[in-house]
Amino acid sequence: MIDPATAGTRLMTRCDALAALSADGASKLTRIYLTPEHAQANALVAEWMTAAGMIHRVDALGNVIGRYDGMDPDAPAVLVGSHLDTVRDAGRYDGMLGVVTGIEAVDALNRAGTRLPFPIEVVGFGDEEGVRFGATLIGSRGQAGTLDPDTLGALDRDGISLSEALNTFGLDPARWREAARKPGSLHAYLEVHIEQGPLLESLGLPLGVVSAIAGATRRAYRLAGLAGHSGTVPMAARRDALAGAAEAILAVESVGRDHGVVATGGQLEALPGAVNVIPGAVRFTLDLRAAKDEDRAKAVADLDDRLDALARRRNLMLSMEPLHENAATPCSPRLMEALSRAITGRGLSVHALMSGAGHDAMAFPGLTEVAMLFVRCAGGISHNPLERITAEDAGLGAVVLHDTLLLLAKDVLR
Amino acid sequence: MIDPATAGTRLMTRCDALAALSADGASKLTRIYLTPEHAQANALVAEWMTAAGMIHRVDALGNVIGRYDGMDPDAPAVLVGSHLDTVRDAGRYDGMLGVVTGIEAVDALNRAGTRLPFPIEVVGFGDEEGVRFGATLIGSRGQAGTLDPDTLGALDRDGISLSEALNTFGLDPARWREAARKPGSLHAYLEVHIEQGPLLESLGLPLGVVSAIAGATRRAYRLAGLAGHSGTVPMAARRDALAGAAEAILAVESVGRDHGVVATGGQLEALPGAVNVIPGAVRFTLDLRAAKDEDRAKAVADLDDRLDALARRRNLMLSMEPLHENAATPCSPRLMEALSRAITGRGLSVHALMSGAGHDAMAFPGLTEVAMLFVRCAGGISHNPLERITAEDAGLGAVVLHDTLLLLAKDVLR
């Protein structure tokens, strides 16, 4: 038995307790990987794990893990994870909600004396945001066995390497590979997370099933024309790089709309940048994300065609620098189905949506199937102290996670 | 008699000689108001004035003046002026060409023993560019009697006031008002200047008659929307300030075209300016110039309508800060007619064009009629060491100025 109201209240209290563990004092939440606040968060989460009937440990990369044994201790485990690190001046639910929800679901099983055919491991990953060492998903990639060894040498802004930081945290950096889980050791990866977008709110739904974590293409473009005097060069004789870039930004927007993807021009700089000078060069960035890699490729190709055409028409030079590229992570139809059944089982409508943001779940597809449950958040706001969810929605998330674990158990036993 | 080839050669030599008087050494021309280089330029110009039969003096604001008396020493004078100061890393013709061309025309009259019914005063203004004290046209406004007294307290980047700088230059700052010419003391103001635009070059014409010096409206606009995560906010839910600003920049461009004015978005800044964040606010500038103030007002009103409409459609907040506003300076039909007759008299076609850039001539309409003769320059490039003209075009400019003075004299005598 799991009561959504009781669970919701406790989840909110626990997110508040974690929010107090901050490098920036009580008023501002900043908790970075392998800091004293991280150790405090691990310790607090470990207490809750113990109270929920789990055995806890901290792995070689500082991730805290609570294990709830199943009927067969050697059966592949269901991992329920999310992260305990934050951006600077963060919200209190991004990451943490998934960890405490995992504990809450296990607690309900434990109180009912229910053992499932598989062990459950709840994980609080130490680094997802990548604030300290630039590389994101250090914790989850470490467990998935896909962490780039070069990351151990990455430096934080004080010149401290990941290796050194592990050592200061009380871990042996030489043993970092021991964090990796063995192939075949996992049955599934589940993650509960706030949506960080406005869709569920606009649909009036507390929960949503993630269909895929978007792949992303990030690029910097440069348009070069000819700077000139704003008073003396006739309109028809101009090679105005900013007017060209303005068309390009609108092309980014309409490519996003036309292809059903999200496309953003986030940075734009006009040079020389004087009131009375026609801009001679403009640099701007693209961030284009899609649930399907082929949709992303088509959208980017379409955009390139449009940019080439406008550059030709305006007699501008176009150049491009790739910044980042990652493939989409499709969610498992089997796990999505289990989440959906759990949702409808509680009388709610199911809505599947893409995750435009990255998550720990992205690290695991090489090792096991993944799925995610999104919880509605206010105004889609996150990475911001204004991040808000309701206790009701959080409680429903714990209930659906709990029910999903039971449904997966039934499938195994069938 | 004035020979264009001889005049052209000497004009180029003299511009080269002035270009050597620089604060930044021989390789880079920077000559700022009331500096030692300014004093050197005044002295060199004074030598040339003397050689051309003129009496020279330096007025209370550091402008150098050469006077060539007419038949009646008390008749209102024709002023032929331009400036001797430069921007930093300047071209060598912007300003200086007009001063040496004035001397050249007088020299031809002097060699021919010709006295006109009016005196001619050639002026090398000390400040037009406004590099040192922020305020432009200090020299010409001083002579026109329209210099704002507050300018005397304006500070340069070393904290030196205009008053102090006049004192260091050997002038009595208390007597600055003596630079002002008396109402009724001028018959006309003529200025020869490089075009600083590409129009004459594209028409294949060495010279052009300025119809008006453009009026200008400069503003900063701000569009505010809502910053958001580039991956999680669907295209339809966005309030993207940069996409709105992109439409605004294209509106600036099309208003320029539609109204036959020049309109430029020179600066644009997107905030917060991260690759993965939808811009929440954008500031951009407008510089709109027109030969007729009513055209400028209509164009600005049209632009405001378009910006209001797009802000409403996109649910963005639009605000505006005025930066600068100056009325157009129409040129005198009588003087334009004299310049045109002089041009056709030398077998050339007449083309009238707006000056998009500001000039010393803008200071004088309260005191006398003004007109300007533009000399073709390469690629419209100026405020740049790459500023180029030909000796042939410069020589034709001197010839037309000379002939114009004779035509004005005939009109007076008629």
Side-chain angles (χ1 to χ4, degrees):
Chain A
M1 245 309 279
I2 177 164
D3 173 53
T6 314
T9 305
R10 185 153 67 171
L11 290 168
M12 300 303 275
T13 308
R14 287 183 169 180
C15 285
D16 291 347
L18 282 169
L21 306 176
S22 168
D24 290 333
S27 64
K28 198 166 146 181
L29 172 54
T30 300
R31 192 169 52 244
I32 311 295
Y33 184 38
L34 301 178
T35 58
E37 301 77 48
H38 178 194
Q40 291 162 21
N42 276 359
L44 185 56
V45 165
E47 270 179 41
W48 298 333
M49 288 171 165
T50 304
M54 288 184 267
I55 310 286
H56 68 84
R57 61 189 171 97
V58 170
D59 74 9
L61 284 167
N63 302 305
V64 61
I65 305 168
R67 181 176 172 94
Y68 182 73
D69 266 318
M71 298 169 189
D72 174 3
D74 298 328
V78 170
L79 221 62
V80 180
S82 197
H83 58 97
L84 292 172
D85 67 320
T86 72
V87 295
R88 298 184 197 281
D89 199 12
R92 57 186 56 191
Y93 306 105
D94 173 0
M96 287 71 82
L97 180 69
V99 181
V100 295
T101 303
I103 296 171
E104 198 63 34
V106 170
D107 183 60
L109 296 174
N110 186 49
R111 279 184 289 104
T114 309
R115 292 283 158 180
L116 304 183
F118 42 73
I120 300 167
E121 294 207 358
V122 176
V123 189
F125 294 109
D127 173 84
E128 187 258 11
E129 301 286 4
V131 172
R132 182 160 182 185
F133 296 105
T136 58
L137 306 181
I138 293 177
S140 39
R141 286 194 212 278
Q143 288 213 356
T146 58
L147 183 64
D148 182 345
D150 289 348
T151 311
L152 275 286
L155 302 180
D156 69 9
R157 62 185 183 182
D158 297 321
I160 298 167
S161 70
L162 172 53
S163 274
E164 290 166 325
L166 287 168
N167 195 60
T168 306
F169 200 71
L171 298 166
D172 178 356
R175 301 176 66 177
W176 69 273
R177 286 181 199 272
E178 293 177 12
R181 291 171 181 277
K182 289 183 186 54
S185 68
L186 295 182
H187 178 74
Y189 176 93
L190 294 174
E191 181 167 357
V192 177
H193 204 284
I194 60 166
E195 183 197 344
Q196 300 179 274
L199 216 56
L200 293 174
E201 186 179 61
S202 72
L203 295 167
L205 294 175
L207 303 173
V209 177
V210 175
S211 55
I213 301 170
T217 296
R218 290 187 187 173
R219 294 171 160 192
Y221 289 94
R222 191 170 186 279
L223 279 167
L226 194 65
H229 191 299
S230 63
T232 62
V233 184
M235 299 309 289
R238 296 182 174 205
R239 294 172 58 204
D240 183 334
L242 182 55
E247 270 196 62
I249 291 293
L250 293 174
V252 167
E253 188 185 45
S254 69
V255 159
R257 285 177 179 157
D258 297 352
H259 289 262
V261 301
V262 288
T264 308
Q267 298 179 326
L268 190 148
E269 192 187 12
L271 296 174
V275 179
N276 61 343
V277 180
I278 300 160
V282 174
R283 178 190 179 275
F284 63 94
T285 59
L286 167 74
D287 181 331
L288 192 150
R289 307 192 192 197
K292 292 186 185 159
D293 291 335
E294 57 268 35
D295 291 348
R296 182 162 49 89
K298 270 183 206 157
V300 168
D302 184 9
L303 178 64
D304 277 344
D305 286 347
R306 299 192 199 196
L307 298 186
D308 281 340
L310 80 86
R312 241 191 333 268
R313 178 166 34 78
R314 286 180 172 272
N315 195 16
L316 302 172
M317 290 279 297
L318 175 70
S319 56
M320 189 276 287
E321 176 200 352
L323 298 178
H324 172 85
E325 192 91 17
N326 71 268
T329 303
C331 289
S332 152
R334 175 177 71 93
L335 299 178
M336 287 176 67
E337 163 71 14
L339 284 166
S340 301
R341 275 195 287 151
I343 289 172
T344 51
R346 294 284 173 167
L348 297 168
S349 305
V350 172
H351 184 81
L353 72 172
M354 175 186 92
S355 170
H359 294 291
D360 290 301
M362 291 165 70
F364 287 95
L367 216 50
T368 188
E369 292 173 70
V370 307
M372 291 189 71
L373 179 70
F374 269 175
V375 175
R376 166 170 60 186
C377 66
I381 295 164
S382 86
H383 283 198
N384 189 307
L386 293 176
E387 205 175 86
R388 291 282 178 276
I389 61 170
T390 66
E392 288 68 27
D393 291 357
L396 284 171
V399 167
V400 166
L401 176 62
H402 169 268
D403 295 357
T404 301
L405 291 166
L406 292 178
L407 288 167
L408 292 178
K410 268 193 204 159
D411 286 348
V412 169
L413 295 173
R414 191 185 299 158
Chain B
M1 245 308 279
I2 177 164
D3 172 54
T6 313
T9 304
R10 185 152 68 171
L11 290 169
M12 298 305 273
T13 308
R14 287 183 169 180
C15 286
D16 291 348
L18 283 168
L21 306 176
S22 167
D24 290 334
S27 62
K28 198 167 144 179
L29 172 54
T30 301
R31 191 168 54 243
I32 311 294
Y33 184 38
L34 301 178
T35 57
E37 300 77 48
H38 178 193
Q40 290 162 22
N42 276 359
L44 185 57
V45 165
E47 271 181 40
W48 298 333
M49 287 170 164
T50 304
M54 288 185 268
I55 310 285
H56 69 84
R57 61 189 173 98
V58 171
D59 75 10
L61 284 167
N63 302 307
V64 62
I65 306 167
R67 180 176 172 95
Y68 182 73
D69 266 318
M71 298 168 187
D72 174 3
D74 296 327
V78 170
L79 221 61
V80 179
S82 197
H83 59 97
L84 293 172
D85 68 321
T86 72
V87 296
R88 299 185 196 279
D89 199 12
R92 57 185 56 188
Y93 307 105
D94 173 0
M96 285 71 83
L97 179 69
V99 182
V100 295
T101 303
I103 296 171
E104 198 63 36
V106 170
D107 182 62
L109 297 174
N110 185 50
R111 279 185 287 104
T114 309
R115 292 283 159 181
L116 303 184
F118 42 74
I120 301 168
E121 295 207 357
V122 176
V123 188
F125 294 109
D127 173 84
E128 187 258 8
E129 301 285 2
V131 172
R132 183 162 182 183
F133 296 105
T136 58
L137 306 181
I138 294 177
S140 40
R141 286 194 212 276
Q143 288 214 356
T146 59
L147 184 63
D148 181 345
D150 289 348
T151 311
L152 275 285
L155 302 180
D156 70 8
R157 61 184 184 184
D158 297 322
I160 298 167
S161 71
L162 171 53
S163 275
E164 290 166 326
L166 286 167
N167 195 60
T168 305
F169 200 73
L171 297 167
D172 179 355
R175 301 175 66 176
W176 69 274
R177 286 179 201 274
E178 293 178 13
R181 292 172 180 275
K182 288 181 185 56
S185 69
L186 295 183
H187 178 73
Y189 175 92
L190 294 174
E191 181 167 358
V192 177
H193 204 284
I194 60 166
E195 182 197 345
Q196 300 180 275
L199 216 56
L200 293 174
E201 184 179 61
S202 71
L203 296 167
L205 294 174
L207 302 174
V209 178
V210 175
S211 55
I213 301 170
T217 296
R218 290 187 187 175
R219 295 171 160 194
Y221 289 94
R222 191 170 187 279
L223 279 167
L226 193 65
H229 191 300
S230 63
T232 63
V233 185
M235 299 309 290
R238 296 183 175 205
R239 293 173 57 205
D240 183 334
L242 181 55
E247 269 195 62
I249 291 293
L250 293 174
V252 167
E253 188 185 45
S254 69
V255 159
R257 285 177 180 157
D258 296 352
H259 290 263
V261 302
V262 288
T264 307
Q267 297 179 328
L268 191 149
E269 191 187 11
L271 296 173
V275 179
N276 60 344
V277 180
I278 299 160
V282 174
R283 179 190 179 276
F284 63 94
T285 59
L286 167 74
D287 181 331
L288 192 151
R289 308 193 192 198
K292 291 185 186 162
D293 291 335
E294 58 267 35
D295 291 348
R296 182 162 49 88
K298 271 183 206 158
V300 168
D302 184 9
L303 179 64
D304 278 344
D305 286 347
R306 300 191 199 197
L307 298 187
D308 281 339
L310 80 87
R312 241 192 331 271
R313 177 165 36 77
R314 288 182 172 269
N315 195 16
L316 302 172
M317 290 279 297
L318 175 70
S319 56
M320 189 275 286
E321 177 199 353
L323 297 177
H324 171 86
E325 192 90 17
N326 71 269
T329 303
C331 290
S332 151
R334 175 176 72 94
L335 299 178
M336 285 176 67
E337 163 71 16
L339 284 167
S340 301
R341 276 195 287 152
I343 289 172
T344 49
R346 295 286 174 164
L348 296 168
S349 305
V350 173
H351 184 80
L353 72 171
M354 175 187 91
S355 171
H359 294 291
D360 290 301
M362 292 164 69
F364 287 95
L367 216 51
T368 188
E369 293 173 71
V370 308
M372 291 188 72
L373 180 69
F374 269 175
V375 176
R376 165 169 63 186
C377 66
I381 295 164
S382 86
H383 283 199
N384 188 306
L386 293 176
E387 205 176 87
R388 291 282 178 277
I389 61 170
T390 65
E392 289 68 28
D393 291 357
L396 284 171
V399 167
V400 166
L401 176 63
H402 169 269
D403 294 356
T404 301
L405 291 166
L406 291 179
L407 288 167
L408 292 177
K410 267 194 203 158
D411 286 348
V412 169
L413 294 174
R414 191 185 299 157

